Amino acid sequence: MVEFSKRVPADGTDAVGVILNSASDPNVISFAGGLPAGELFPIKEMEKATDEAYEKHGEAAMQYGSASGVVELRKQLLKRSEEKENIKAELKNIMMTTGSEQALDLMGKTFINPGDAVLLEEPTYLCAVDVFRSYGAEFVGVEMDDNGMRTDKLEEALKAHPEAKLIYTIPNYQNPSGRTMSLERRKKVAELAAKYDVYVLEDNPYGDIRFAGEEHIPSIKSFDTTDHVVYTSTFSKILAPGFRLGWVIANDYLIKKLTVMKQSADLQTDNLVQYACSAFLKNNDIDAHIKEISKVYSERKDRMVEDIKKYFPKGVQCTNPHGGMFLWVTVPGVEDTVELFKQCLKHNVAFVPGDPFFGTNPVPGTFRLNYSCMPIDKIDEGIQRLGKALQEAIEN
Ligand SMILES: Cc1ncc(COP(=O)(O)O)c(C=O)c1O
């Protein structure tokens, strides 16, 4: 049998795949997925935008193109990043990626040698853990609280690991915890990156999905005066994930390196999709669309939190996000979260157990709930089932 490379996880480690599969039974109400609400996709508008892309750019859309991406779209994204995130950058600072997942992968490929330290929030996005692990990263977990990554702990970690090259953070409505990093900490992260000469990978897929009344906090990148912050975002949560379209903004030296690495990965991102998204942005009010998405998610999140208060056993804690798609639950006293998952599945309700969201030691009894793609009546029913299952698990 030919051996796989060390990057391939050992057999049986696709724990999340197994969980999502077992939760796919139609009788199960699954809060395990992480999908945007499909009924809100602007299908008609995208159809028109795609027609326009073919009409105006047919040949270029179907031809090989630049690895950096379509100029028109990059200019639109730069304008938007300046208006929304206070990021000042030029064309040479932005590259399109095949989803923001590719930006994480390219950063891993560009910086991580086996054994290199990566500093990250715990918990954090499980696919980022998988990507960095595939390049042999050694994780250094940095504690969080309700204001995001603790910068005192971050500085301790940087002192303990002077060889670290990368800090990974999701400052807005983090996946999986729903937490947001405070303004002071964003400034501090940028300051620490400069002081310890380390890159920050600021992953911002959820920043626009902000609930009414919630103040917008500028990006870490906007406080970056020394070119240490690499910013990535995506169309996945504001338009549709099927397009696989993201972007990365960084200093031009690094963008050149990332472009070379991208070329060897997939040559370029889909041109047609880039022209179509560019036309969509030109012809539609994407902010009005984002407002609509945020309103629906906000209602779903409110109902989930209300139901949790009503139906979960006493002592169970959950976060209460002001945006994004997820909340994080902690059940004290539970030792084996996967066992808890199995017990809940018997009640026909599912979540993602917390373990894979940790780069180092998982905190038992934690799990992620998704509310974005679940109608209110299903949230009511699902959280009631979950409440019963948790009560049983706690009593046994
Ligand atoms: C924190 C975070 N980063 C990156 C991604 C990847 O998104 P995409 O590749 O669809 O842009 C996701 C997807 O859920 C995410 O939650």
Side-chain angles (χ1 to χ4, degrees):
M1 176 94 160
V2 182
E3 260 187 44
F4 293 119
S5 83
K6 291 197 171 63
R7 279 186 295 281
V8 179
D11 274 359
T13 53
D14 183 16
V16 178
V18 172
I19 283 158
L20 291 178
N21 253 346
S22 55
S24 66
D25 176 336
N27 295 317
V28 172
I29 296 182
S30 176
F31 302 114
L35 305 184
E39 73 273 21
L40 301 177
F41 292 155
I43 298 172
K44 282 270 163 285
E45 292 80 357
M46 259 328 279
E47 197 181 336
K48 271 197 192 144
T50 310
D51 285 348
E52 186 178 321
Y54 272 124
E55 275 159 28
K56 292 198 175 153
H57 306 281
E59 192 176 326
M62 295 172 79
Q63 189 54 279
Y64 283 119
S66 133
S68 314
V70 166
V71 170
E72 212 169 300
L73 177 61
R74 284 154 66 212
K75 284 186 179 163
Q76 286 165 302
L77 290 170
L78 284 173
K79 185 164 176 282
R80 205 175 150 74
S81 305
E82 175 151 17
E83 286 166 7
K84 301 281 165 194
E85 297 296 342
N86 214 9
I87 295 175
K88 294 184 178 38
E90 300 170 33
L91 205 54
K92 63 184 180 192
N93 301 119
I94 182 168
M95 178 180 87
M96 299 309 299
T97 55
T98 303
S100 54
E101 190 68 33
Q102 186 178 49
L104 309 189
D105 186 57
L106 295 177
M107 284 296 286
K109 205 170 169 185
T110 305
F111 285 105
I112 303 171
N113 290 318
D116 281 351
V118 171
L119 279 55
L120 37 67
E121 288 148 356
E122 290 212 288
T124 191
Y125 175 46
L126 65 89
C127 294
V129 171
D130 288 345
V131 165
F132 299 144
R133 185 174 281 140
S134 75
Y135 291 106
E138 292 286 335
F139 294 117
V140 180
V142 182
E143 213 177 288
M144 298 180 85
D145 61 20
D146 284 341
N147 290 316
M149 184 188 263
R150 281 185 52 178
T151 41
D152 55 337
K153 298 285 178 195
L154 176 62
E155 184 153 23
E156 278 172 24
L158 285 165
K159 279 185 185 154
H161 296 275
E163 78 289 1
K165 297 177 190 163
L166 203 58
I167 302 167
Y168 173 68
T169 178
I170 310 158
N172 292 308
Y173 321 121
Q174 196 230 28
N175 179 5
S177 72
R179 293 175 182 132
T180 291
M181 189 186 282
S182 67
L183 178 69
E184 291 68 31
R185 288 192 183 170
R186 290 175 198 228
K187 290 181 184 165
K188 188 75 186 170
V189 171
E191 191 188 309
L192 290 174
K195 182 172 169 187
Y196 292 90
D197 194 22
V198 56
Y199 273 116
V200 175
L201 176 52
E202 178 178 20
D203 186 9
N204 186 28
Y206 303 105
D208 281 335
I209 311 293
R210 191 166 58 247
F211 301 157
E214 173 67 2
E215 184 201 351
H216 171 246
I217 308 178
S219 60
I220 302 173
K221 180 74 182 151
S222 68
F223 301 112
D224 175 30
T225 53
T226 55
D227 277 346
H228 280 87
V229 181
V230 179
Y231 176 91
T232 180
S233 189
T234 175
F235 280 105
S236 289
K237 319 297 168 174
I238 57 174
L239 208 48
F243 297 137
R244 310 308 307 127
L245 199 52
W247 59 96
V248 55
I249 300 178
N251 69 63
D252 56 335
Y253 171 74
L254 179 54
I255 287 290
K256 276 190 201 137
K257 297 282 176 223
L258 292 173
T259 309
V260 172
M261 301 313 269
K262 177 174 168 65
Q263 269 164 353
S264 70
D266 66 354
L267 295 184
Q268 68 182 77
T269 291
D270 184 322
N271 279 338
L272 176 63
V273 159
Q274 292 186 68
Y275 282 114
C277 285
S278 172
F280 179 91
L281 288 180
K282 188 159 53 75
N283 301 336
N284 298 275
D285 180 355
I286 195 166
D287 288 314
H289 177 60
I290 291 170
K291 216 168 168 184
E292 191 190 337
I293 299 172
S294 304
K295 185 169 175 288
V296 172
Y297 291 5
S298 171
E299 285 163 6
R300 292 177 179 177
K301 187 276 298 184
D302 282 347
R303 181 59 79 98
M304 186 174 266
V305 170
E306 261 171 50
D307 285 347
I308 285 176
K309 284 189 186 141
K310 237 192 269 176
Y311 301 117
F312 275 17
K314 255 179 118 181
V316 177
Q317 295 148 13
C318 77
T319 54
N320 189 352
H322 299 163
M325 299 178 14
F326 305 103
L327 58 82
W328 185 246
V329 178
T330 307
V331 189
V334 169
E335 276 167 24
D336 184 341
T337 320
V338 174
E339 192 48 43
L340 181 71
F341 169 81
K342 287 181 189 159
Q343 282 173 271
C344 291
L345 206 54
K346 286 186 196 149
H347 288 257
N348 284 332
V349 62
F351 50 75
V352 184
D355 299 20
F357 296 98
F358 291 84
T360 61
N361 300 321
V363 175
T366 54
F367 57 84
R368 188 191 76 177
L369 294 177
N370 166 258
Y371 48 78
S372 54
C373 64
M374 193 64 79
I376 294 280
D377 57 327
K378 282 263 170 79
I379 292 180
D380 287 343
E381 175 63 26
I383 296 294
Q384 280 192 61
R385 289 184 195 174
L386 198 47
K388 265 191 213 149
L390 294 178
Q391 189 66 48
E392 258 182 47
I394 288 172
E395 282 164 7
N396 290 329

